[in-house]
Amino acid sequence: MNGKNAWKQLWLAYDKKKELGNGVYVEKVSLIGFDEENRVVKSALQELKKGVSGMLGVTAEVTEKDAEAKGLVLKKCDELPKESYSIKEEGGKLTLMAGDENGLLYGVFHLLRQISMEKKLSGMNVTCKPDNPLRMYNHWDNMDGSIERGYSGNSFFFVKNDIVIDERTRDYARLVASVGINGVVINNVNVKQAASWLISDRFFEKVAELSKIFADYGIKFFLSLNFAATIELGGLDSADPLDERVIAWWKEKMKECFAKIPNLGGFLVKADSEGRPGPFTYGRTQADGANMLAEAVRPYGGIIIWRCFVYNCKQDWRDYKTDRARAGYDNFIQMDGDYAENVILQIKNGPMDFQIREPISPLLGGLKKTNQMLEVQVAQEYTGHQIDVCYLIPMFKEVLDFHTYCKPGADTVADVISGRTMGNQNTGIAAVINTGNDANWTGNDLAAANLYGFGRLAYQTSLSAGDILDEWIPMQISTDPEVIKVIKDILLRSRETYEKYTSPLGIGWMVTPHDHYGCSVDGYEYDRWGTYHRADHLGIGVDRSDKGTGYAQQYYEPNATAYNSVESCPEELLLFFHHVPYTHVLKTGKTLIQHIYDSHFEGYDEAEGFAKAWDGLEGKVDAEVFANVKERFGRQLANARDWRDQVNTYFYRKSGIPDEKGRTIY
Ligand code: GCU
């Protein structure tokens, strides 16, 4: 069990009194055009009452159906799009208009945010509508209670191959709904053992109960599927998507799933990837597999989210031609346009795997006739395990702002996944989530900025990384301007700092194999995973130009040309695209080897600066939070020191070129 009240409320902690002093009344609430009995409306009203009672000490009551002269009016407005709202204050009367129930819920959370940040309600005049139709969190929770790439305890959905439902489930739904999440996948994409049976009588009852909690907060419920369920559950000898028996089995199964699980949105599928079964086994295409399932869920309005993380994970490091970075594009581009309307291809932000710096996947926008969804990772698998501080929103912003050149005027990744490029509806953004059953949900208290930030960014892509912190810090940590300044500075710089003390200029992968925390420069160099840096005594990097693996040519112009040459390649990605001598002079005037040394020393020093700045907050932030983050900074420093010294030593030994500044290298 999760233990009652053993967990924190994060940015929804309403226990601190807030000062607004603005003469806007929220005690009297009129509800117009909405059904008070609707489950989402109920949640919105409950939340409103809870929030204003906790933060303002007033009791909000839905008194009459008519607008009060002063008070809060919640009103349905058909002119506003789905999930949208506007809030306006005039003469002490606050009017929240919403396009639908989700819009109402999001509007209420906006209001509570405003109160929590101690911003005045008077003079409010905002209209907000979501940029992305689907805004999802993907859990990699296993049914035994473990979490794949989880760094904050165990699952709060599953224990010992069973489903857990308690107050924490509801608090989870509240937290993610408060930032605009409208879809959740509760189980790991690697569907094995008990998880394969989530779509059977063994679990239907509890799954249905769980899905209803999400329904209360306007969140569609999704499951990850085992593509070989026909064999493992159905007793067939095949999972061939074109086999009539397989097709019939899935049709029947989906009929059952949608009948038994209310609020089911559809399924997420990892097929033909890292040992998971898929259509390739039967000589079929990814489209054959996805479309077969899509046809089975179509009668119920369901969707199939099909992951593009398909690559050969049994490579030979001696082979310089096979390039893992190419795989997503090579496996999916030819079938552009062949996917059913209710299939969405879910594409990781980079062509490899959530490294601290990668180019944007050329499949995003490369596909021109297929529904696309961006997948990012809020769980810090390669970015510090929620021990090291790493605020990821700046990275996600870069991804969203990237020009793919797929269509004049609507060519950024944000355009593609919002539906603006193709005028389609089944699009969006998903993140692998960073939660677990730790009391603070995210291991490091500062990692909650990513949990919060992803949702806000998914709803409103135009928010900057700093805007999001201006909301999150006062809501969760402190409204003290000095505290805000210190934490904001740490978080906004943290990604680059992490990058500086880990792997240089886009090369990635110098991590401890499997675990992915800590340095091991050659850890993956002679392995089967296709993740090589190719360092020798003269230079480092992978030639992905037209003279190498040709990966750079997967982009539209002018990106293809820019990436193709050392001169025009953005330097932060230089080693991803090119094999470069250590003596190569960068735009800063430094040689590559000197850049490696300098950035590693700098990265460590910056991390040390963060730890010191945090120490200065003692007594100014909650003592538990202070201790939690301080302890993590201690571990981050040890990690940064190891990275610095191992990387610098490695390249010094390879190149024989000393540090110009004569610092200690071992
Ligand atoms: C990475 C990660 C795996 C995960 C996989 C995926 O390889 O290390 O744990 O299963 O990504 O995204 O499917």
Side-chain angles (χ1 to χ4, degrees):
M1 285 301 283
N2 291 320
K4 199 167 167 34
N5 295 331
W7 58 93
K8 297 187 182 179
Q9 295 291 313
L10 307 187
W11 56 90
L12 296 185
Y14 300 135
D15 53 353
K16 291 190 205 109
K17 286 280 167 293
K18 303 287 176 171
E19 283 307 322
L20 295 182
N22 59 17
V24 173
Y25 301 88
V26 286
E27 292 98 320
K28 296 225 161 69
V29 183
S30 314
L31 190 69
I32 301 170
F34 281 112
D35 174 7
E36 222 178 313
E37 291 309 307
N38 174 284
R39 63 197 316 152
V40 181
V41 174
K42 259 190 195 164
S43 300
L45 293 174
Q46 258 170 24
E47 199 68 34
L48 180 71
K49 286 178 189 171
K50 197 169 169 177
V52 298
S53 130
M55 294 188 288
L56 300 176
V58 301
T59 309
E61 264 181 284
V62 183
T63 47
E64 305 169 25
K65 302 286 169 203
D66 294 312
E68 290 279 333
K70 287 196 174 211
L72 171 62
V73 181
L74 308 175
K75 194 174 176 182
K76 178 108 195 298
C77 170
D78 295 329
E79 280 80 64
L80 280 168
K82 267 176 27 184
E83 304 192 298
S84 306
Y85 59 90
S86 70
I87 307 176
K88 200 171 181 177
E89 188 274 341
E90 264 174 332
K93 185 169 128 185
L94 209 49
T95 308
L96 193 174
M97 298 214 274
D100 61 2
E101 288 77 14
N102 273 26
L104 177 72
L105 183 67
Y106 300 152
V108 163
F109 277 120
H110 188 124
L111 215 52
L112 294 173
R113 200 153 55 227
Q114 194 85 357
I115 297 172
S116 180
M117 293 190 292
E118 298 192 320
K119 293 251 173 81
K120 287 191 180 350
L121 302 181
S122 50
M124 266 188 97
N125 189 1
V126 291
T127 300
C128 298
K129 63 182 178 60
D131 285 309
N132 298 295
L134 273 165
R135 307 173 298 278
M136 298 183 68
Y137 264 131
N138 292 180
H139 285 262
W140 285 1
D141 293 26
N142 297 314
M143 289 206 69
D144 63 4
S146 64
I147 300 179
E148 181 153 337
R149 311 308 177 186
Y151 311 108
S152 17
N154 286 325
S155 173
F156 45 78
F157 292 133
F158 306 118
V159 175
K160 293 190 185 136
N161 293 324
D162 204 355
I163 295 173
V164 183
I165 301 171
D166 61 18
E167 267 310 297
R168 188 163 188 160
T169 321
R170 189 164 288 278
D171 280 343
Y172 167 79
R174 292 174 53 232
L175 280 168
V176 297
S178 77
V179 287
I181 294 294
N182 65 359
V184 165
V185 186
I186 60 157
N187 64 312
N188 188 2
V189 286
N190 295 311
V191 187
K192 297 175 191 165
Q193 288 115 18
S196 303
W197 296 85
L198 281 167
I199 52 168
S200 77
D201 274 335
R202 189 166 148 196
F203 292 114
F204 273 145
E205 215 172 293
K206 284 192 178 167
V207 168
E209 204 185 324
L210 199 54
S211 89
K212 285 185 203 157
I213 296 178
F214 291 115
D216 286 344
Y217 292 90
I219 301 166
K220 278 279 178 198
F221 181 85
F222 290 76
L223 292 169
S224 296
L225 268 194
N226 181 343
F227 192 78
T230 44
I231 302 172
E232 291 179 37
L233 274 67
L236 299 181
D237 58 6
S238 171
D240 180 350
L242 301 191
D243 181 324
E244 287 304 330
R245 295 167 308 151
V246 170
I247 297 171
W249 188 87
W250 276 117
K251 281 199 168 149
E252 206 40 48
K253 180 48 78 184
M254 290 309 179
K255 188 173 167 194
E256 205 187 347
C257 286
F258 281 89
K260 298 264 170 77
I261 312 170
N263 186 38
L264 181 62
F267 297 90
L268 175 64
V269 190
K270 172 176 179 175
D272 289 314
S273 170
E274 300 182 331
R276 302 318 300 143
F280 281 169
T281 312
Y282 306 93
R284 310 300 183 192
T285 66
Q286 297 296 297
D288 290 333
N291 290 347
M292 181 273 293
L293 290 172
E295 181 55 25
V297 301
R298 196 178 45 81
Y300 320 102
I303 57 172
I304 295 297
I305 304 174
W306 189 269
R307 296 178 83 228
C308 296
F309 190 54
V310 178
Y311 70 99
N312 172 8
C313 66
K314 291 188 179 152
Q315 261 182 249
D316 183 343
W317 58 270
R318 300 166 189 86
D319 167 8
Y320 274 67
K321 273 287 162 201
T322 310
D323 181 5
R324 171 167 164 181
R326 293 189 57 113
Y329 189 92
D330 285 345
N331 282 315
F332 285 89
I333 199 72
Q334 273 150 23
M335 287 160 290
D336 188 15
D338 293 347
Y339 293 88
E341 184 273 326
N342 60 333
V343 170
I344 306 179
L345 295 188
Q346 184 162 302
I347 305 163
K348 288 193 184 186
N349 61 276
M352 297 295 276
D353 194 7
F354 302 135
Q355 301 300 292
I356 190 68
R357 173 100 47 192
E358 283 185 50
I360 313 307
S361 168
L363 205 47
L364 287 159
L367 294 163
K368 286 183 168 174
K369 292 176 274 182
T370 302
N371 297 326
Q372 293 159 66
M373 188 138 158
L374 169 67
E375 178 179 314
V376 296
Q377 196 184 38
V378 163
Q380 288 174 240
E381 175 179 357
Y382 294 97
T383 54
H385 284 203
Q386 288 142 242
I387 297 166
D388 300 28
V389 62
C390 192
Y391 179 53
L392 293 162
I393 306 302
M395 184 202 291
F396 302 163
K397 291 285 297 178
E398 277 171 22
V399 176
L400 291 165
D401 291 345
F402 179 73
H403 287 281
T404 68
Y405 296 98
C406 64
K407 183 182 178 183
D411 72 340
T412 64
V413 170
D415 290 327
V416 172
I417 62 157
S418 63
R420 287 191 292 272
T421 307
M422 286 168 49
N424 49 346
Q425 286 296 313
N426 281 334
T427 60
I429 179 166
V432 181
I433 198 167
N434 61 354
T435 54
N437 70 355
D438 276 3
N440 69 358
W441 301 79
T442 56
N444 188 332
D445 279 283
L446 294 183
N450 289 326
L451 179 66
Y452 178 88
F454 170 76
R456 292 288 292 131
L457 187 66
Y459 187 91
Q460 207 175 321
T461 306
S462 58
L463 288 173
S464 74
D467 293 342
I468 289 171
L469 292 178
D470 287 335
E471 295 178 1
W472 176 76
I473 302 170
M475 287 173 75
Q476 184 168 325
I477 309 282
S478 167
T479 48
D480 174 348
E482 196 196 319
V483 175
I484 295 176
K485 189 165 169 282
V486 171
I487 298 180
K488 191 173 171 184
D489 179 64
I490 292 175
L491 288 173
L492 284 179
R493 292 165 53 208
S494 59
R495 184 259 185 139
E496 266 176 52
T497 297
Y498 187 83
E499 181 182 28
K500 282 182 185 173
Y501 64 73
T502 57
S503 47
L505 304 181
I507 195 70
W509 293 110
M510 296 177 172
V511 286
T512 310
H514 314 300
D515 177 62
H516 300 164
Y517 186 78
C519 180
S520 176
V521 180
D522 279 339
Y524 273 118
E525 194 57 16
Y526 306 103
D527 216 325
R528 64 179 171 95
W529 297 94
T531 49
Y532 314 118
H533 55 64
R534 309 287 191 203
D536 58 20
H537 69 297
L538 296 173
I540 173 180
V542 181
D543 185 355
R544 293 189 163 106
S545 72
D546 54 1
K547 292 180 203 66
T549 71
Y551 165 80
Q553 272 50 63
Q554 292 184 335
Y555 292 88
Y556 295 121
E557 291 298 357
N559 289 337
T561 297
Y563 289 140
N564 202 53
S565 82
V566 171
E567 290 67 40
S568 54
C569 181
E571 260 176 4
E572 70 271 16
L573 289 169
L574 188 63
L575 303 180
F576 190 94
F577 284 98
H578 299 280
H579 188 87
V580 180
Y582 297 121
T583 51
H584 171 78
V585 179
L586 300 172
K587 292 187 183 104
T588 52
K590 286 182 192 178
T591 59
L592 170 60
I593 191 77
Q594 194 56 41
H595 170 86
I596 293 176
Y597 297 149
D598 285 353
S599 68
H600 282 77
F601 283 113
E602 256 169 55
Y604 176 82
D605 292 348
E606 285 174 18
E608 203 175 34
F610 293 166
K612 279 202 186 115
W614 184 259
D615 281 345
L617 297 183
E618 186 163 18
K620 293 178 185 149
V621 299
D622 174 83
E624 235 178 83
V625 173
F626 178 78
N628 167 279
V629 177
K630 184 175 169 65
E631 188 269 343
R632 306 255 157 180
F633 270 132
R635 287 198 269 162
Q636 174 168 0
L637 280 188
N639 187 39
R641 182 166 172 268
D642 254 6
W643 270 97
R644 178 195 69 189
D645 292 340
Q646 285 196 38
V647 170
N648 284 347
T649 302
Y650 180 95
F651 288 103
Y652 172 59
R653 290 182 185 173
K654 279 252 144 130
S655 70
I657 305 172
D659 170 33
E660 277 171 3
K661 295 177 189 152
R663 291 162 292 195
T664 308
I665 293 178
Y666 298 86

